Amino acid sequence: MQERETLVAGEITLPQLRRLSTGPGHPVQLDPRCRGAIRASAELVRRAASGEAPVYGVNTGFGKLATQRIAHDDLALLQLKLLRSHAVGVGEPLSGRVVRLILLLKAASLARGYSGVREEVVDGLLALYNRGVVPVIPCQGSVGASGDLAPLAHLCLPLIGEGEAFHDGQRMPGDQALERAGLRPLRLGAKEGLALINGTQVSTALAIDALLGLERLFESAVITGALTLDAARGSDGPFDPRIHAVRGQPGQVDCAAAYRALMEGSAIRRSHLEGDDRVQDPYCLRCQPQVMGACLDQMRHATQVLMREANAVTDNPLVFAEGGAMVSGGNFHAEPVALAADALAVAIAEIGAISERRVAMLVDTVVSRLPPFLTPEPGLNSGFMIVHVTAAALASENKSLAHPASVDSLPTSANQEDHVSMATFAARRLQPMLKNTAHIVAIELLAAAQGIEFLRPLASSPALEGVMRLVRSISPAMMSDRSLARDIEAMHHLVAGGDIGHATEQHIAELQALRLA
């Protein structure tokens, strides 16, 4: 029997989510120390539901309808109707990987003991995760304030035997998925429906999922940039540690160290230490530490924000059992997630933009001093001419997608909810941007490898020759025109999956330092 991983509310880490996002192969259990706080907050809600005083979300309506009192006999029905009425999302279902993250984040948030739900609710969410029940969540319909209401309602309908879910890869009604997984529907108590749909877990999970993908892409882009530097016989002088130390930007310092380690031992570099009349390389080569380092700093900042949010309590009202109080606030407003996602979008676009510039440099014989368009018979062959056009198209598309989502706001709920974050879209649009940039880097990888072929028999560094072997195991050098569509797609999977980093012949500690928490 596989050992269960313990989920400690308020102490989730990025490495833990990196492991758990892969699926129910990693079963999860709640740390028993969380249960006392859950029980205490649930008891306070029970007492409030039995009393006469109006308490938002317990015995009142929601949003603009908060002034409407609900009869005691209707409190359970109120929570049921809340889930049903709010499950109005549209669009394609979110990926199973993201939905599993949402289940974990929602369970962990409720387990902090400030939401007033019973233990059965937290256990029910974790049971869905552990039994492979993946609720169908349409990807559109949240504005990232008052919580991710519509998508979280879809998440929780299968919990009560409604909605839809995937189980063993099949889409089916929620009650059928529960039955197949050996689970029973949950009957909601006072405030529990509101606690389930109020929160930032969808936008946070989308952003964290993108962050994990960006971590792999970033490493691949650094390695590919180093290979391009060698293919273009660029200077390693701009990577001198003294240059970066006097500026002091930590991401820049770490990236420069990684480029130096990747270039260590290159015979190509040694061959042109003397007699090269070029004074300075183009910015796309020379300024790689400055550009990629700035992106790394943004990624690190976003990691801090998103992990705080992953461990946060973001529903409303909050239950403070120690003081016997229930307090309404606005932790459901996902502005921190929106701004972090927008920062990641700009970083993703910049990684693709500088990669596209390196492809343009490689095909320009005046700058690269390689054959025009990286083909030995230009004219008869077009070589990498149109491959670069594809990279340019993707880079341009990313520029539009990088427009900040957080600067937009539309009032909802009859102007009660008059400023919203748009965090869910801010995070959701990161995946197509990652795909675009991974394709750009894949194109650069093919172009850089082609450039190295024209410098043979000289070898690149041991680390980069390991990358060359991986590329050539999938895509042979193109000395006569052929379609590179399949080659690009194959390289895309290597870039996005992190296989490029595994291909470096030796363990490079400097690359490990680029990984996030």
Side-chain angles (χ1 to χ4, degrees), residues 36-83:
I38 299 173
R39 287 193 290 267
S41 70
E43 174 60 21
L44 183 58
V45 169
R46 188 194 67 77
R47 293 201 303 269
S50 301
E52 296 301 322
V55 180
Y56 175 74
V58 175
N59 54 17
T60 74
F62 309 103
K64 195 77 168 182
L65 301 175
T67 57
Q68 302 294 315
R69 287 295 300 272
I70 307 300
H72 184 271
D73 290 345
D74 289 332
L75 296 187
L77 182 60
L78 173 69
Q79 303 301 314
L80 179 61
K81 284 179 174 290
L82 182 68
L83 260 63

Side-chain angles (χ1 to χ4, degrees), residues 92-397:
E92 293 299 312
L94 293 177
S95 72
R97 187 180 63 248
V98 169
V99 175
R100 286 190 290 268
L101 280 175
I102 299 169
L103 285 168
L104 293 173
L105 296 185
K106 175 50 80 174
S109 178
L110 298 179
R112 289 281 303 275
Y114 297 102
S115 300
V117 305
R118 295 165 297 150
E119 294 173 80
E120 291 94 319
V121 176
V122 179
D123 292 337
L125 291 167
L126 293 180
L128 294 183
Y129 175 90
N130 287 332
R131 301 290 181 90
V133 178
V134 179
V136 174
I137 305 178
C139 67
Q140 295 170 287
S142 174
V143 296
S146 295
D148 290 314
L149 296 172
L152 284 174
H154 284 282
L155 176 85
C156 297
L157 279 178
L159 194 64
I160 61 173
E162 298 188 15
E164 289 186 293
F166 292 99
H167 187 258
D168 290 336
Q170 290 185 303
R171 184 170 179 168
M172 62 190 70
D175 58 346
Q176 186 178 335
L178 288 185
E179 184 179 357
R180 289 196 180 187
L183 299 173
R184 300 184 62 165
L186 181 71
R187 182 176 171 82
L188 298 177
K191 192 186 176 295
E192 289 179 341
L194 180 59
L196 283 166
I197 70 170
N198 215 327
T200 65
Q201 286 77 36
V202 174
S203 51
T204 303
L206 282 164
I208 289 174
D209 181 58
L211 183 71
L212 293 172
L214 179 54
E215 181 182 49
R216 298 187 295 270
L217 171 61
F218 185 85
E219 182 183 63
S220 298
V222 169
I223 294 168
T224 301
L227 188 64
T228 297
L229 180 70
D230 226 15
R233 288 163 288 185
S235 171
D236 57 6
F239 305 94
D240 187 308
R242 294 170 294 182
I243 293 173
H244 308 283
V246 298
R247 193 178 200 186
Q249 296 287 357
Q252 178 179 326
V253 170
D254 292 342
C255 284
Y259 286 112
R260 290 195 303 273
L262 287 164
M263 295 292 295
E264 182 67 31
S266 169
I268 295 173
R269 172 63 189 140
R270 287 196 301 270
S271 72
H272 59 91
L273 283 174
E274 297 180 6
D276 195 326
D277 59 356
R278 289 177 292 185
V279 178
Q280 291 185 326
D281 292 324
Y283 288 1
C284 67
L285 297 178
R286 189 187 353 149
C287 298
Q288 289 188 76
Q290 287 81 2
V291 174
M292 297 297 283
C295 293
L296 180 58
D297 284 336
Q298 289 286 351
M299 292 162 58
R300 287 169 171 171
H301 172 68
T303 301
Q304 292 179 330
V305 173
L306 294 174
M307 291 315 300
R308 285 196 293 262
E309 197 73 4
N311 285 292
V313 183
T314 55
D315 61 291
N316 179 59
L318 295 181
V319 180
F320 297 95
E322 260 185 44
M326 295 180 65
V327 185
S328 288
N331 279 0
F332 49 69
H333 199 296
E335 193 76 4
V337 179
L339 291 174
D342 281 347
L344 290 177
V346 172
I348 294 168
E350 281 297 275
I351 293 166
I354 196 170
S355 176
E356 181 274 329
R357 287 292 81 203
R358 289 192 295 267
V359 177
M361 179 273 305
L362 285 171
V363 300
D364 185 346
T365 187
V366 175
V367 183
S368 69
R369 301 189 181 186
L370 294 168
F373 300 107
L374 301 175
T375 181
E377 294 184 84
L380 178 62
N381 293 298
S382 296
F384 279 68
M385 179 189 295
I386 307 304
V387 175
H388 167 245
V389 172
T390 298
L394 296 171
S396 179
E397 187 176 307

Side-chain angles (χ1 to χ4, degrees), residues 4-17:
R4 289 177 174 259
E5 181 151 357
T6 299
L7 196 69
V8 183
E11 299 180 17
I12 298 172
T13 65
L14 188 65
Q16 186 177 36
L17 293 181

